[in-house]
Amino acid sequence: MGAENIALNHLYDSVTTINSKAFYDWNSQDKIAETTVEGWMKSPGHRKNILTPYFKKEGIGAVISPDDKVYITQDFC
């Protein structure tokens, strides 16, 4: 038996354009990780997966899409 948590995050919070030049408010790796786990813990189903004691293994994967979205998955078995 297994479970999966999936999250969507972003590489930056905002973009400001001045004279056609973009300035990004980049998120750190720590902030992306922290906000992802916060989101999972606020979701009853995701929280249950994280706190279930009989899962023996966990895997986490992350990928950045061409449009700067960060997809994170957490798999339990």
Side-chain angles (χ1 to χ4, degrees), residues 1-2 5-6 8-9 17-18 32 34 36 38-39 43-44 46-47 49-51 54 57 61 66-67 74:
M1 181 165 189
N5 291 343
I6 299 175
L8 169 63
N9 220 314
T17 305
I18 300 173
I32 291 169
E34 182 180 324
T36 297
E38 283 176 3
S43 164
H46 293 114
R47 181 181 180 88
N49 290 341
I50 291 169
L51 297 178
Y54 59 78
K57 295 180 182 179
D67 61 351
Q74 183 180 36

Side-chain angles (χ1 to χ4, degrees), residues 8-70:
L8 169 63
N9 220 314
H10 302 278
L11 285 180
Y12 49 85
D13 283 331
S14 64
V15 180
T16 304
T17 305
I18 300 173
N19 296 327
S20 300
K21 182 171 169 91
F23 295 89
Y24 295 86
D25 180 17
W26 295 103
N27 288 320
S28 68
Q29 292 174 353
D30 288 343
K31 182 174 180 180
I32 291 169
E34 182 180 324
T35 57
T36 297
V37 173
E38 283 176 3
W40 282 337
M41 294 305 283
K42 289 179 183 177
S43 164
H46 293 114
R47 181 181 180 88
K48 181 180 175 187
N49 290 341
I50 291 169
L51 297 178
T52 298
Y54 59 78
F55 291 129
K56 302 296 182 203
K57 295 180 182 179
E58 164 191 22
I60 296 177
V63 66
I64 300 170
S65 67
D67 61 351
D68 295 332
K69 292 178 182 166
V70 181

